[in-house]
Amino acid sequence: MEIEHIIIRYLDGCASYEEKQALLLWLKESEEHRGGFLRTRDIWLASNAALGSELEVDLALERFKGKLREMKETQSRFSFNDRKWNVTLRRIAAVVLLLILGGSVVWLYQNTWLFKQQTTVLITAPNSKGHFVLPDGSTVWLNKESKLTFSQNDFRQRRKVRLEGEAFFEVKRNKKSPFVVAMDKIDIQVLGTTFNASNYLTDSCIEVTLNSGAVMLFGETLKKEIQLKPGDHFVFNKHTHIFQLGQTNPYYYSIWKEEQLVFDDHPLNEIIPCLETWFRVKIECPVGLAESTHLTFAVRNETPEEIMRSISYITPIEYTIEGNIITIKEKKNLKSNR
Amino acid sequence: MSNSQCDFDQFVEMIFKRYYLSLRAYSFRFLNNREEADDVVQEVFLELVQKRETLCLDERGVKSYLFTAVYHRSLNHLNKIDRNRTLSIAEVNEDQNLSSYLSSFYGQQSEESILMANELGEAIKRCVDEFPAQRRRVFQLSRTYQLKNREIAQQLGISDKAVEKHLRIALSALQIFLSREGFYLIFYLISAL
């Protein structure tokens, strides 16, 4: 095998034991050989720098800024102006708030005779999700920046809660007492089911997705009540009062309540709806690209930006993020070479 | 935050963006390890920020400062690695011989490197643009995305051998092109060791 070939394989890291041995002997032969090897390797490295991706530089710059912040922090510890410390404080505050709220639900439940008129409010911070058990044994997962309100007194007679934001409900069956979720302009009435409801003040639509059982939807703006079957996806525009009813995979709509998202060689067109729900964003991607791209990765606490950046590393796509809309495209400089 | 602090942060960010890849490649030249090379460059920039009171650099000065700092820090790193390396008899094989032989003369190299040459990036891009389409793709996949030869072969549906051949031709074409463009002096310096 010729030596140039071995050098290429060595630079790639795939040279075999025998090839490395041959390269070593060749290098030891003469100064000229060593010079030639270094020259090839230098051009190899120089091309890395010349053609390297900007994203790589951006990632390195972020790492650098992080280290810089750390350095400044150790220089002025407990400086309250510091961003990272502020974030930490806010995180602690959010946890304390959740603990207090969680605790108060349990405490109020045990002391209802004392605080019959007490209103309980469950709130989640912008970056946390919560999981609560209601006095009747129903479970509710609250997505970030959401609020669930109910009155202890009313809840015993009629299970009624008010939702702002997004929640997934697992309602304990009780034929005598229907469970009602009140949202802007729409009420959901159920007996015992699992469903996802979204009523963010900042969104123009209310959405309800049914996983199992049956739910009834009421509202002054609806001509008559609507019954949902499992898999139904109901979207109601709060301004125009127009609604749409379609079939969907309800799994995608409640995926935000999981601890993490794991994709194992999934096509991008299945991954996108999961990420949309997880981050509360809209992702636009050409159909062909979404069908042909398969990815393996996991999401835990990463931001949409971080996830998109990692995806663009493992597959030739580029993306833009504007507000809560992410647009994915095929990488341009690859396309032009076809 | 004061105005000069702002300006300084912007200045650091600008030179980081401009020189990061070249500096990392330069450090890699000695260390032969991506993570360590990245560490070295990050440390050099942190040091630059710490020394801002005592350093007074214009844009041109900052470039030679950075390359020199990366050079010295990389060599220190290399010495540290050498000292920490404990060789057991079982570990001594040709494989390790090659890497320690190489690192022994990476470290001896003069400070001069083609990586420091101005306009080098533009020259490489010009040359690569002239490649036939398939060769250009192979080379870009390899350099821009750091794909392994095997991965490139899979992605393009060609054999590993074909990828290696493209890369070999690409590298020798670059070598000829660059020396014609006047980068030969640095080659001479390197090979004269």
Side-chain angles (χ1 to χ4, degrees):
Chain A
M1 180 166 249
E2 39 176 338
I3 202 74
E4 279 115 340
H5 238 97
I6 295 181
I7 293 176
I8 295 288
R9 292 172 60 77
Y10 170 77
L11 291 173
D12 182 54
C14 69
S16 69
Y17 175 70
E18 286 77 17
E19 286 166 340
K20 284 180 183 166
Q21 219 164 4
L23 178 60
L24 181 62
L25 289 176
W26 181 81
L27 285 170
K28 281 180 174 170
E29 266 170 33
S30 74
E31 198 66 43
E32 202 184 319
H33 287 176
R34 289 190 283 275
F37 171 79
L38 284 180
R39 208 151 39 207
T40 310
R41 186 167 172 271
D42 269 358
I43 292 181
W44 182 251
L45 294 175
S47 321
N48 267 354
L51 306 173
S53 72
E54 278 171 31
L55 284 170
E56 215 180 341
V57 182
D58 287 345
L59 280 182
L61 184 61
E62 285 307 311
R63 270 199 303 280
F64 172 65
K65 283 180 179 168
K67 283 182 185 173
L68 207 58
R69 271 200 296 277
E70 253 170 56
M71 191 179 82
K72 283 180 182 162
E73 240 161 71
T74 45
Q75 279 167 1
S76 58
R77 205 168 287 168
F78 298 123
S79 147
F80 277 78
N81 292 327
D82 210 280
R83 221 179 107 213
K84 193 157 183 186
W85 178 243
N86 255 344
V87 171
T88 315
L89 255 191
R90 247 181 272 150
R91 280 198 190 133
I92 293 170
V95 169
V96 169
L97 184 69
L98 282 178
L99 283 176
I100 292 171
L101 284 170
S104 65
V105 173
V106 174
W107 192 81
L108 284 169
Y109 179 51
Q110 291 165 344
N111 298 279
T112 32
W113 57 272
L114 199 65
F115 286 101
K116 279 190 174 167
Q117 296 308 318
Q118 186 76 43
T119 299
T120 305
V121 186
L122 307 174
I123 307 173
T124 45
N127 282 315
S128 54
K129 302 169 183 179
H131 169 206
F132 307 92
V133 179
L134 300 178
D136 67 331
S138 298
T139 309
V140 55
W141 284 260
L142 275 185
N143 203 346
K144 47 193 165 189
E145 257 182 305
S146 298
K147 186 168 141 188
L148 193 78
T149 320
F150 59 93
S151 134
Q152 288 292 325
N153 192 28
D154 285 355
F155 201 85
R156 296 186 67 189
Q157 290 149 17
R158 188 157 176 253
R159 300 189 288 171
K160 184 166 182 172
V161 295
R162 201 183 144 66
L163 172 67
E164 280 165 42
E166 183 163 25
F168 182 83
F169 295 91
E170 206 175 271
V171 175
K172 265 260 158 70
R173 178 170 285 278
N174 182 348
K175 276 183 188 168
K176 284 177 207 157
S177 165
F179 188 100
V180 177
V181 180
M183 300 186 287
D184 296 340
K185 299 180 180 170
I186 300 274
D187 285 1
I188 311 173
Q189 189 175 323
V190 308
L191 292 174
T193 70
T194 52
F195 63 98
N196 192 70
S198 167
N199 174 39
Y200 277 100
L201 292 176
T202 47
D203 288 356
S204 57
C205 291
I206 289 174
E207 292 185 43
V208 182
T209 320
L210 185 60
N211 294 52
S212 66
V215 306
M216 294 288 262
L217 304 174
F218 297 92
E220 281 175 26
T221 46
L222 296 177
K223 281 186 190 123
K224 59 176 188 125
E225 73 270 16
I226 297 168
Q227 184 171 0
L228 298 188
K229 300 184 296 299
D232 277 350
H233 178 223
F234 169 86
V235 183
F236 175 82
N237 188 306
K238 286 187 267 192
H239 310 301
T240 61
H241 297 170
I242 294 169
F243 73 84
Q244 286 176 317
L245 190 57
Q247 277 279 316
T248 184
N249 184 346
Y251 171 72
Y252 292 143
Y253 288 87
S254 54
I255 203 152
W256 56 263
K257 72 181 170 62
E258 308 298 331
E259 294 269 314
Q260 63 171 339
L261 281 180
V262 180
F263 303 106
D264 183 14
D265 199 25
H266 279 54
L268 191 55
N269 60 356
E270 282 179 23
I271 294 172
I272 284 174
C274 298
L275 292 180
E276 284 182 327
T277 320
W278 186 263
F279 291 124
R280 289 191 23 83
V281 294
K282 194 89 201 117
I283 300 178
E284 281 160 13
C285 179
V287 180
L289 181 63
E291 280 172 354
S292 62
T293 309
H294 285 243
L295 296 171
T296 300
F297 67 99
V299 188
R300 275 174 166 277
N301 304 316
E302 293 83 355
T303 63
E305 176 88 57
E306 285 166 336
I307 289 301
M308 290 312 301
R309 213 182 280 157
S310 320
I311 292 178
S312 74
Y313 264 156
I314 52 180
T315 191
I317 58 132
E318 48 187 22
Y319 63 93
T320 50
I321 301 181
E322 273 171 54
N324 60 346
I325 296 175
I326 299 175
T327 313
I328 300 178
K329 277 185 302 195
E330 210 163 332
K331 192 117 194 167
K332 257 197 223 114
N333 53 359
L334 278 180
K335 222 176 179 179
S336 63
N337 292 333
R338 267 192 192 142
Chain B
M1 199 179 281
S2 74
N3 219 357
S4 75
Q5 171 77 37
C6 254
D7 289 349
F8 182 74
D9 288 351
Q10 273 173 7
F11 176 68
V12 170
E13 193 168 326
M14 182 193 79
I15 55 173
F16 190 98
K17 280 186 174 170
R18 184 177 301 168
Y19 294 122
Y20 173 77
L21 288 175
S22 301
L23 289 168
R24 194 184 64 184
Y26 188 49
S27 179
F28 189 98
R29 189 165 181 258
F30 308 107
L31 297 173
N32 207 31
N33 178 309
R34 254 170 94 92
E35 280 77 39
E36 286 171 17
D38 175 63
D39 283 347
V40 163
V41 178
Q42 301 260 357
E43 285 165 18
V44 164
F45 271 97
L46 282 179
E47 198 183 46
L48 177 77
V49 173
Q50 277 171 325
K51 279 188 183 170
R52 60 173 296 220
E53 306 294 339
T54 50
L55 279 173
C56 187
L57 295 166
D58 58 358
E59 265 185 67
R60 220 179 311 157
V62 92
K63 182 186 172 187
S64 45
Y65 166 81
L66 288 171
F67 273 89
T68 313
V70 164
Y71 171 75
H72 288 295
R73 212 169 258 271
S74 301
L75 290 200
N76 281 344
H77 229 79
L78 210 56
N79 289 337
K80 229 182 283 169
I81 296 166
D82 271 350
R83 251 180 281 129
N84 292 343
R85 190 181 284 157
T86 49
L87 289 175
S88 74
I89 293 168
E91 269 175 356
V92 180
N93 52 32
E94 284 303 318
D95 201 58
Q96 189 133 27
N97 276 350
L98 175 62
S99 60
S100 46
Y101 179 68
L102 284 173
S103 62
S104 75
F105 71 82
Y106 291 152
Q108 284 165 18
Q109 282 172 63
S110 69
E111 274 181 52
E112 288 298 328
S113 162
I114 190 172
L115 292 161
M116 292 176 69
N118 289 320
E119 331 291 316
L120 174 72
E122 295 309 311
I124 290 177
K125 280 183 200 153
R126 269 205 310 283
C127 181
V128 172
D129 280 343
E130 299 295 313
F131 286 172
Q134 183 78 323
R135 185 165 312 142
R136 189 168 65 225
R137 278 201 84 188
V138 169
F139 197 65
Q140 279 179 336
L141 283 174
S142 158
R143 301 298 78 213
T144 311
Y145 303 102
Q146 315 281 321
L147 291 188
K148 291 275 168 202
N149 294 351
R150 197 167 36 82
E151 295 167 325
I152 300 171
Q154 278 169 359
Q155 193 156 340
L156 299 181
I158 55 179
S159 71
D160 292 11
K161 279 265 174 296
V163 170
E164 286 166 14
K165 196 176 166 198
H166 276 304
L167 290 176
R168 185 169 54 83
I169 297 172
L171 281 179
S172 52
L174 267 170
Q175 198 160 328
I176 293 165
F177 181 87
L178 291 177
S179 50
R180 257 193 225 138
E181 291 277 303
F183 292 98
Y184 61 89
L185 185 68
I186 296 159
F187 288 145
Y188 175 75
L189 282 172
I190 295 167
S191 51
L193 279 179

